[in-house]
Amino acid sequence: MESSSKVPENEVEVDHVDMLNASFDGYGGVIVNVKEDMDENIFTTLLRTSISQWRQQGKKGVWLKLTIELVNLVKPAVKEGFWYHHAEPTYLMLVYWIPETNHTLPPNASHRVGVASFVVNDKGELLVVQEKSGVFKGTGVWKLPTGTVEEVCNFFFFFFVTLFFFFLTKNQTDQVLCSQGEDISVAAIREVKEEAGIDTEFVEVLAFRQSHKSFFSKSDLMFVCMLKPKSFVIEKQDSEIEAAQWMPVEEYSNQPFIKKHKSFDYIAKICMAKKDNKYVGFPALPTATATSAKKSYLYSSYQEE
Amino acid sequence: MESSSKVPENEVEVDHVDMLNASFDGYGGVIVNVKEDMDENIFTTLLRTSISQWRQQGKKGVWLKLTIELVNLVKPAVKEGFWYHHAEPTYLMLVYWIPETNHTLPPNASHRVGVASFVVNDKGELLVVQEKSGVFKGTGVWKLPTGTVEEVCNFFFFFFVTLFFFFLTKNQTDQVLCSQGEDISVAAIREVKEEAGIDTEFVEVLAFRQSHKSFFSKSDLMFVCMLKPKSFVIEKQDSEIEAAQWMPVEEYSNQPFIKKHKSFDYIAKICMAKKDNKYVGFPALPTATATSAKKSYLYSSYQEE
C-alpha cells in the first residue's frame, strides 16, 4: 500500500497537504495534534481522508486534541463521529474508533484525591486550623489541615526549572510544567506548609476514605497522613485560614462535630492511637512501575525480615 | 432589585424568555442546563443578559453543561469567556468566573483508580490470569486479576432499575445511571467474577501504589485487595483472558518478571506474608461523609478496644 509509507510507525509527522498531522502510538492508536486554525470545511475533508487512510492501515482509536483556541473545529469533529474523552481548562480531547467492534479506549480519570494531615509536636499537641471558606466556615470547628493533590507539582524547584527552560524553548516549558502529578506525601507536606507555615516530613498514611458523587458524578479519595513536624512556630496563611494553633489531641477529638460524625470520630481515634504508638499505618516505599521507569510509591505496612 | 426575585435561591428554574434556564447552588454558583438546541446568536444574547443579571446578584462561578448534541453552542460560549472544566463521552462542562478575583472553582478529577485482587483458596493456591491484550500480552507472565474502578456501577441491579426508570422518564434514567461511582471493594469483586468466574468477598486493602503520567498527564492509584473465595471452579472470560488458574503463591512470586520489578516483588512478598497471617492491611468500615449523608468507606487497620 503506497499510503502506508506516508505515515511511518516511529512518531514521524505527516505533512502531506491531504492528511492531518499525526503520530502513531504502540497500541494501534493515532494521535492528531492540530497546531493551527483552519477552515471548518477543509478540516472536515482532511479528517475524512485521514480516517480513510488510517482504516486501510488497520488503525483503531483516533485521539484528537483541540486547544481552546481551536474551538471552531469541535463541531465538525463531532459531526464526523468523534466524541468527548476528557477536557482540561486549555484543551478538549476527542476520540474516534475506526473498527466495527466496541472500543477499548482507556477511561477518563474518575477520582479527585485529597489529603488530611496529622501533625503532633513533642508536647502531644495537634496542629489544627479553621478555614475562611467552605462548609466549615463560621462553625468554629477545628480541623486537620487538608488540601487537594495537584495534577502538576508546584514546587519552587519546578518554578526555577520552568524559568530556566522558558529561556530555551516554550515547548519544553510545557513539558516540565506538565511532567508529573503530585505524590500524596508531597501534597500533605505542601498543604501544612501553605496553611500553617510548619515544615514537616512524611511518616505514613494512617487511613483513607473513598466517597462518591462529591462533584458531578466524580468520586473522592482522601488520605489521612501522619507528618513529623520539623518547625513549630505557626505562620498562618491569611487568604484561606481564619486561625491555626497547636491543640491537645483529646481537645480536638472531643469536639461535638467530630464525635457526631462516624468518619471524623474514627479518624480522631486512629490519630490518638498513633500518638500513643498503638497503631501502624502504611509508610511509602519508592518503586517504579513495571512497564516503564516512571517513579511510583507503594504504601503498605510490610517490613522485610 | 427586581431581578433577584426572578431567580430565587432554592433551585427554582428561571423560565423568562430573556434569561437562560438555571439553578443556584449553595456556594454562589449558577448551574445552567441547556435542554434544547437553539440558534447560536440567540444563545450568545441570552448568555450575556444572564451573566449581567447574575453579576448584579453577586453570583460567582457559572457551570454550563452542554450535551454532545448541543456541540454548536460550545464555540459561542468560549467566545463569551467560558473555558473547559471537564468532559465525559456525552457532555462537556464549561465554566465562567464572574468576579474580578481569581477563581476558586474545584479542580477536575486527577486520578484513575485500579484494583488488583489477591485471592487464595484453602490449598494456599493463588488465582492468576494471563491477558489477551495490553503490555503483558504474549509474555507468559501470570498476574493478579486487575481492572479499573468504574465511575458508574454496572450491576444487574442497576440495569433493572435503569430499565424500570426508562419507562417512566428519560431524565430519571440518566440520574440512576450516574448515581454513584464504584467502591474499591466492589470493583475488586466484580473484576474477579468477570475474568475468572469466581465469587468472592472483600477482606482488606493490602497495599496501594500511586504512579504518575500514565495517560495524558493524569495519575494512577492501584489498590491491592485481598478477597476470600466463595467458589472455586474457574470459568474464564474469553474476550480478555487468555488463561486462568489456581497456582501456588510461591510459584507466582518466583516468576522472573515479578522478581525483577521492585513494585511487583514487594506486592508478592506482602501477599505471601498475608497468606501466613503475618500481615495486617486496611479493612473497610462503612461510614458517611460529614457534610452529607453520602455513603463512604474508611480503610484502616484500627480496631476499637
Side-chain angles (χ1 to χ4, degrees):
Chain A
M1 250 187 321
E2 193 203 352
S3 60
S4 296
S5 63
K6 291 179 186 171
V7 192
E9 291 283 336
N10 301 322
E11 297 232 2
V12 176
E13 288 180 352
V14 179
D15 56 6
H16 250 247
V17 285
D18 59 350
M19 287 276 285
L20 282 169
N21 196 304
S23 58
F24 294 169
D25 66 23
Y27 303 87
V30 180
I31 301 159
V32 186
N33 204 334
V34 184
K35 284 178 181 160
E36 52 193 29
D37 205 2
M38 63 177 84
D39 176 80
E40 295 178 24
N41 293 323
I42 292 174
F43 178 70
T44 300
T45 306
L46 283 174
L47 206 50
R48 287 181 188 169
T49 313
S50 305
I51 288 174
S52 169
Q53 292 261 19
W54 298 328
R55 180 175 284 118
Q56 284 181 45
Q57 292 163 16
K59 296 299 169 191
K60 294 175 179 173
V62 182
W63 298 91
L64 174 63
K65 183 177 178 175
L66 294 176
T67 60
I68 198 161
E69 294 79 15
L70 302 174
V71 65
N72 62 313
L73 304 182
V74 174
K75 184 171 142 187
V78 169
K79 293 219 161 173
E80 292 304 308
F82 279 77
W83 68 91
Y84 306 142
H85 187 271
H86 68 275
E88 293 298 324
T90 59
Y91 76 86
L92 175 62
M93 182 69 81
L94 297 110
V95 284
Y96 182 85
W97 188 247
I98 296 176
E100 300 290 312
T101 56
N102 286 337
H103 83 77
T104 57
L105 299 164
N108 190 1
S110 58
H111 285 65
R112 293 197 301 163
V113 178
V115 284
S117 297
F118 176 73
V119 188
V120 177
N121 66 17
D122 296 340
K123 299 176 196 163
E125 293 169 329
L126 178 65
L127 180 65
V128 290
V129 298
Q130 286 183 343
E131 291 174 353
K132 280 193 174 172
S133 60
V135 288
F136 296 104
K137 179 186 171 186
T139 59
V141 172
W142 290 96
K143 57 189 284 293
L144 303 180
T146 55
T148 304
V149 173
E150 299 190 345
E151 288 195 51
V152 179
C153 283
N154 69 349
F155 291 130
F156 282 107
F157 170 76
F158 272 83
F159 176 73
F160 288 117
V161 172
T162 303
L163 259 186
F164 173 73
F165 277 109
F166 185 77
F167 291 104
L168 290 180
T169 150
K170 180 65 173 64
N171 273 350
Q172 280 188 279
T173 308
D174 290 342
Q175 276 174 17
V176 171
L177 271 173
C178 303
S179 65
Q180 186 144 327
E182 193 176 37
D183 286 318
I184 290 164
S185 54
V186 171
I189 291 168
R190 176 181 54 73
E191 286 288 349
V192 168
K193 180 69 178 173
E194 281 179 11
E195 295 192 356
I198 301 292
D199 294 308
T200 57
E201 62 187 52
F202 179 79
V203 180
E204 62 183 25
V205 168
L206 297 175
F208 64 89
R209 190 186 66 192
Q210 187 193 25
S211 53
H212 301 296
K213 215 186 173 183
S214 64
F215 179 64
F216 294 119
S217 90
K218 297 289 180 177
S219 299
D220 272 337
L221 272 164
M222 197 268 293
F223 293 87
V224 183
C225 300
M226 184 181 187
L227 306 177
K228 189 180 167 190
K230 296 194 289 183
S231 74
F232 302 93
V233 179
I234 292 172
E235 289 183 52
K236 81 170 185 73
Q237 186 188 48
D238 281 336
S239 62
E240 290 177 26
I241 303 300
E242 185 64 43
Q245 66 166 320
W246 294 103
M247 172 186 270
V249 177
E250 292 72 17
E251 195 178 330
Y252 163 78
S253 63
N254 282 330
Q255 292 179 98
F257 181 88
I258 302 291
K259 292 202 98 59
K260 190 177 151 193
H261 294 97
K262 192 173 177 182
S263 169
F264 281 122
D265 185 44
Y266 212 77
I267 290 169
K269 283 176 180 165
I270 293 170
C271 292
M272 284 201 292
K274 184 71 204 178
K275 184 175 81 76
D276 299 335
N277 286 321
K278 290 180 180 170
Y279 183 81
V280 179
F282 283 179
L285 176 81
T287 54
T289 52
T291 52
S292 76
K294 283 177 295 191
K295 194 188 74 169
S296 66
Y297 278 97
L298 186 72
Y299 296 77
S300 81
S301 60
Y302 180 74
Q303 288 192 318
E304 298 203 64
E305 283 164 5
Chain B
M1 245 185 327
E2 193 204 350
S3 59
S4 297
S5 63
K6 289 181 189 169
V7 193
E9 289 284 335
N10 302 321
E11 297 235 1
V12 176
E13 287 181 352
V14 179
D15 56 6
H16 250 247
V17 286
D18 58 351
M19 288 276 284
L20 282 169
N21 196 304
S23 58
F24 293 171
D25 66 23
Y27 303 88
V30 180
I31 301 158
V32 186
N33 203 335
V34 185
K35 284 179 182 161
E36 53 191 32
D37 204 2
M38 62 178 86
D39 175 82
E40 294 180 24
N41 293 323
I42 292 174
F43 178 70
T44 300
T45 307
L46 282 173
L47 205 50
R48 287 180 188 170
T49 313
S50 305
I51 288 174
S52 169
Q53 292 262 21
W54 297 328
R55 179 175 282 115
Q56 283 180 46
Q57 292 162 14
K59 297 299 168 191
K60 294 174 178 172
V62 181
W63 299 91
L64 174 64
K65 182 177 178 176
L66 293 177
T67 60
I68 197 161
E69 292 80 16
L70 302 174
V71 64
N72 62 314
L73 303 181
V74 174
K75 185 171 146 187
V78 169
K79 293 218 161 171
E80 292 304 307
F82 278 77
W83 69 89
Y84 307 142
H85 187 272
H86 69 274
E88 293 298 325
T90 58
Y91 75 87
L92 175 62
M93 182 69 80
L94 297 110
V95 284
Y96 181 85
W97 188 247
I98 296 175
E100 300 291 312
T101 57
N102 286 338
H103 82 77
T104 57
L105 298 164
N108 190 0
S110 58
H111 285 63
R112 292 197 301 163
V113 178
V115 285
S117 297
F118 176 72
V119 187
V120 177
N121 66 17
D122 294 340
K123 299 176 197 164
E125 293 168 330
L126 177 66
L127 180 65
V128 289
V129 299
Q130 287 184 341
E131 291 175 352
K132 280 193 173 172
S133 61
V135 288
F136 296 104
K137 179 186 170 185
T139 59
V141 172
W142 290 96
K143 57 189 283 294
L144 304 180
T146 55
T148 305
V149 173
E150 299 190 344
E151 288 195 52
V152 179
C153 284
N154 69 349
F155 290 132
F156 282 108
F157 171 75
F158 271 84
F159 176 72
F160 287 117
V161 172
T162 303
L163 259 185
F164 172 73
F165 277 110
F166 185 77
F167 290 104
L168 289 179
T169 148
K170 179 66 174 61
N171 272 351
Q172 280 187 278
T173 307
D174 289 344
Q175 276 174 18
V176 171
L177 271 173
C178 301
S179 64
Q180 185 144 324
E182 193 177 36
D183 287 318
I184 290 164
S185 53
V186 171
I189 291 168
R190 176 181 54 74
E191 286 289 350
V192 169
K193 180 70 178 172
E194 281 179 12
E195 295 192 356
I198 301 291
D199 295 307
T200 57
E201 63 187 53
F202 179 79
V203 180
E204 63 183 24
V205 167
L206 297 175
F208 64 89
R209 190 185 67 190
Q210 187 194 24
S211 55
H212 301 296
K213 214 184 174 182
S214 65
F215 179 66
F216 294 119
S217 90
K218 298 287 178 177
S219 299
D220 272 337
L221 271 164
M222 197 268 292
F223 293 87
V224 184
C225 300
M226 183 180 188
L227 307 178
K228 188 180 168 192
K230 295 195 289 182
S231 72
F232 302 92
V233 179
I234 292 173
E235 288 182 52
K236 82 169 183 74
Q237 185 186 48
D238 281 335
S239 62
E240 291 178 27
I241 302 300
E242 185 65 43
Q245 65 165 319
W246 293 103
M247 171 186 270
V249 178
E250 292 71 17
E251 194 178 329
Y252 163 79
S253 63
N254 282 331
Q255 293 179 98
F257 181 87
I258 302 291
K259 292 201 101 56
K260 189 176 153 194
H261 293 97
K262 192 173 177 182
S263 171
F264 281 122
D265 184 45
Y266 213 77
I267 289 169
K269 283 176 180 165
I270 292 169
C271 292
M272 283 200 291
K274 185 69 205 181
K275 184 175 83 76
D276 300 334
N277 286 319
K278 290 178 178 171
Y279 182 80
V280 179
F282 283 180
L285 176 79
T287 54
T289 52
T291 52
S292 75
K294 283 176 295 192
K295 193 189 74 169
S296 67
Y297 278 97
L298 186 71
Y299 295 78
S300 82
S301 61
Y302 179 75
Q303 290 192 314
E304 296 202 65
E305 283 163 5

